[in-house]
């Protein structure tokens, strides 16, 4: 599973180091993993995507990813829910 974290430098100065730490939680708020993206630089008005790979070893269900973007001694946070595993829907036609 790949996590893509889009980042944009809207400032006038270049960012020397930017990376993201992603904490993954279950629906019961239990942390199951922490992963990090690559470290990049980001020029003024530039956009990039930071990437992190995770091999889930967890049961199917809903999870929450909390991304902490760390850049030049500053921090920004974002979070997003996602699902692991296939969702199966059983349909009944009513025909015998």
């Amino acid at each position: 599973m790949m996590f893509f974290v889009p980042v944009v430098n809207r400032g006038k100065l270049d960012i020397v180091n930017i990376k993201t730490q992603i904490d993954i939680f279950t629906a019961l708020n239990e942390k199951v993993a922490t992963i990090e993206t690559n470290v990049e630089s980001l020029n003024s008005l530039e956009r990039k995507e930071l990437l992190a790979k995770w091999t889930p070893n967890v049961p199917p269900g809903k999870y929450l990813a909390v991304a902490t973007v760390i850049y030049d001694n500053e921090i920004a946070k974002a979070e997003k829910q996602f699902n692991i595993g296939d969702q199966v829907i059983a349909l009944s036609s009513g025909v015998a």
Side-chain angles (χ1 to χ4, degrees):
M1 171 175 278
M2 293 294 292
F3 287 88
F4 298 90
V5 181
V7 290
V8 178
N9 182 354
R10 292 191 173 106
K12 294 180 181 178
L13 301 175
D14 295 345
I15 295 172
V16 176
N17 291 308
I18 186 168
K19 72 174 182 176
T20 302
Q21 176 180 307
I22 302 168
D23 295 315
I24 301 168
F25 297 90
T26 68
L28 298 175
N29 205 31
E30 298 168 326
K31 187 190 293 189
V32 294
T34 298
I35 56 175
E36 289 190 358
T37 66
N38 47 316
V39 178
E40 295 279 344
S41 61
L42 194 61
N43 295 329
S44 177
L45 304 177
E46 185 178 25
R47 180 190 188 280
K48 286 187 178 179
E49 286 187 346
L50 304 177
L51 307 174
K53 185 176 181 180
W54 179 48
T55 304
N57 188 15
V58 294
K62 290 186 179 185
Y63 291 84
L64 177 68
V66 178
T68 304
V69 180
I70 304 160
Y71 60 101
D72 290 350
N73 299 319
E74 299 287 334
I75 293 176
K77 287 196 174 211
E79 52 185 64
K80 176 112 180 166
Q81 283 191 341
F82 65 98
N83 290 317
I84 296 281
D86 295 331
Q87 294 182 349
V88 178
I89 300 173
L91 299 177
S92 175
S93 66
V95 177

